[in-house]
Amino acid sequence: MQDWAITRAIPATFSDAISQQPRRDPIDVARAREQHRAYVSALRSFGVAVEELPPDDAYPDCCFVEDCAVVARGVALITNPGAPSRRGEPPAVRGALARRLRIETMAAPATLDGGDCLVAEDRILVGLSARTNAAGVARLREVFAPLGLRVVPVELGDVLHLKCVCSSLGGCRVLVAEGLLPDAPFEGLDVVSIPREEAYAANVVAVGKSVLAPAGFPATHERLRRAGYHVVPIDNSETRKADGSLTCLSIIGP
Ligand code: CIR
């Protein structure tokens, strides 16, 4: 069972966050903050001790802490984020993680976003996205292979990060949107599939048998309930406009 999480509040500049959706509605920062508070409260209601870092307005994407580190087996690998505008985000996250875990780092030219890394049982799946390069994958392997984790690269289609279309349900269980990822990297894992039309909902935050899931995806909620989970829907319309999902907003340990 997870017992702590790091989050970072929404900065005043959040409407300038990176987005690949040129024609989307503008981001409502006040609403984003309300939704973020609901997310943090829900995590706390699951018994997670949440440390919320203050935002830094110099970094519009700073609430997406997941991209700043990969955490497994007592180690936090602090990343060098793939987007140049995000490279100043990791130090604050590193400070919080250093009180809990052994820290490893990554230097340019290596780049990697935590959103590309899914830790499941004996492996870390890593998406070969535009944000994560071969040197980033090599550094990931150098840090985690000696700890007994296999690093398995995953070819991606047209998605920002691997975890845009899959996420962990704890242990060897993963939630995966049908038809968007190769099967081989998932061999040996317990895959719960959801329909491709609801692919956005493949990104959930599981804490034991409780799951934060994006609101408005009934087939996914039903599928999770049938798999034995208690589903808490979260409205994240504003972070979604900035290409964010639910896992991006926290780093959960141990
Ligand atoms: C970005 O493009 O980097 C942010 N606007 C969204 C990051 C989302 N992070 C994630 O999925 N792990």
Side-chain angles (χ1 to χ4, degrees), residues 143-212:
V143 169
F144 290 107
L147 302 176
L149 286 165
R150 223 156 31 92
V151 169
V152 183
V154 183
E155 297 287 346
L156 300 183
D158 185 23
V159 291
L160 175 62
H161 290 127
L162 171 68
K163 278 191 287 189
C164 291
V165 286
C166 63
S167 57
S168 170
L169 288 172
C172 63
R173 227 174 197 196
V174 289
L175 187 66
V176 182
E178 268 165 4
L180 294 171
L181 292 169
D183 292 333
F186 293 89
E187 250 163 51
L189 297 177
D190 179 6
V191 174
V192 176
S193 300
I194 60 161
R196 190 181 175 134
E197 312 80 74
E198 293 204 0
Y200 182 76
N203 183 288
V204 300
V205 176
V207 178
K209 285 289 185 188
S210 298
V211 174
L212 300 184

Side-chain angles (χ1 to χ4, degrees), residues 1 31 41 46 50 72-74 94 98 103 108 133 136 139 164 173 178 186 200 222 226 228 243 247-248 251 253:
M1 182 83 160
R31 187 152 186 236
S41 298
F46 296 163
V50 180
R73 306 216 168 159
R94 174 187 176 143
I103 298 291
N133 65 18
R139 179 65 183 137
C164 291
R173 227 174 197 196
E178 268 165 4
F186 293 89
Y200 182 76
E222 184 48 29
R226 270 194 285 126
D243 301 337
T247 63
C248 332
I251 295 171

Side-chain angles (χ1 to χ4, degrees), residues 64-70 77-79 81 86 89-90 93 97 114 251:
F64 298 122
V65 286
E66 171 180 66
D67 294 319
C68 296
V70 181
L77 171 61
I78 307 300
T79 66
R86 300 194 60 192
E89 294 177 26
V93 173
L97 290 173
I251 295 171

Side-chain angles (χ1 to χ4, degrees), residues 15 20 22 30 45 66 89 100 103 119 125 130 135 150 158 168-169 181 183 191 219-221 224 235 237-238 249:
S15 48
Q20 294 177 334
S45 77
E66 171 180 66
E89 294 177 26
R100 298 168 168 89
I103 298 291
V119 181
L125 305 185
R150 223 156 31 92
D158 185 23
S168 170
L169 288 172
L181 292 169
D183 292 333
V191 174
T220 301
H221 296 181
L224 285 166
D235 181 359
S237 63
E238 302 313 294
L249 296 172

Side-chain angles (χ1 to χ4, degrees), residues 74-160:
V75 170
L77 171 61
I78 307 300
T79 66
N80 182 35
S85 67
R86 300 194 60 192
R87 302 227 167 113
E89 294 177 26
V93 173
R94 174 187 176 143
L97 290 173
R99 291 192 286 281
R100 298 168 168 89
L101 302 165
R102 177 161 70 79
I103 298 291
E104 294 286 350
T105 57
M106 170 178 294
T111 65
L112 180 138
D113 280 5
D116 275 321
C117 296
L118 192 163
V119 181
E121 194 97 318
D122 59 343
R123 69 194 82 173
I124 304 181
L125 305 185
V126 54
L128 303 174
S129 74
R131 301 285 178 89
T132 293
N133 65 18
V137 174
R139 179 65 183 137
L140 185 73
R141 186 171 284 125
E142 189 173 64
V143 169
F144 290 107
L147 302 176
L149 286 165
R150 223 156 31 92
V151 169
V152 183
V154 183
E155 297 287 346
L156 300 183
D158 185 23
V159 291
L160 175 62

